[in-house]
Amino acid sequence: MDKQSSPAVQAEGRNFPCEGCGANLRFHIGAQSLKCEFCAAVKVIDLDPSAAVREQDFGAILARVAKFRTNAAEPAIHTREVTCENCGGGVQFVGALASHECAYCGTAIQVDDAYTADDRIPV
């Protein structure tokens, strides 16, 4: 069964080990960097300064989302279940949720294709 037809999308999260102590680094949105919760080490995320920022027509996106929602018989809430690769527990992703922790073992899980749905605002 391919990834698109599978009822449970397999998450392919990435771990970034701390260079100081080996623990998993976590993204800190305020600092826009990866930080270690144990030894306070910081890993700076190098962004390409020449990367282009592309402006999008917000009105056109809203129209596309409205068209998608009116074509549906009932407003659908996009739900999927992902199997935790660490413990095998089922983790449910609802709506635009793209990352979560397993309720059973605390492993971070990320859905790689969360933003490919038609009702998402493109990046």
Side-chain angles (χ1 to χ4, degrees), residues 7-78:
V9 176
Q10 296 297 319
E12 296 175 12
R14 293 182 60 195
N15 290 323
F16 297 93
C18 173
E19 294 172 2
C21 69
N24 288 332
L25 296 173
R26 293 197 178 238
F27 181 71
H28 186 273
I29 194 164
Q32 292 291 300
S33 61
L34 298 171
K35 288 190 173 184
C36 180
E37 297 177 332
F38 299 96
C39 71
V42 176
K43 180 160 180 79
V44 177
I45 299 172
D46 294 323
L47 299 174
D48 183 6
S50 66
V53 176
R54 192 172 43 109
E55 186 174 350
Q56 299 183 33
D57 183 354
F58 188 63
I61 292 170
L62 290 178
R64 192 178 88 199
V65 170
K67 180 181 175 186
F68 174 78
R69 290 195 175 141
T70 56
N71 288 343
E74 269 191 40
I77 296 177
H78 187 68

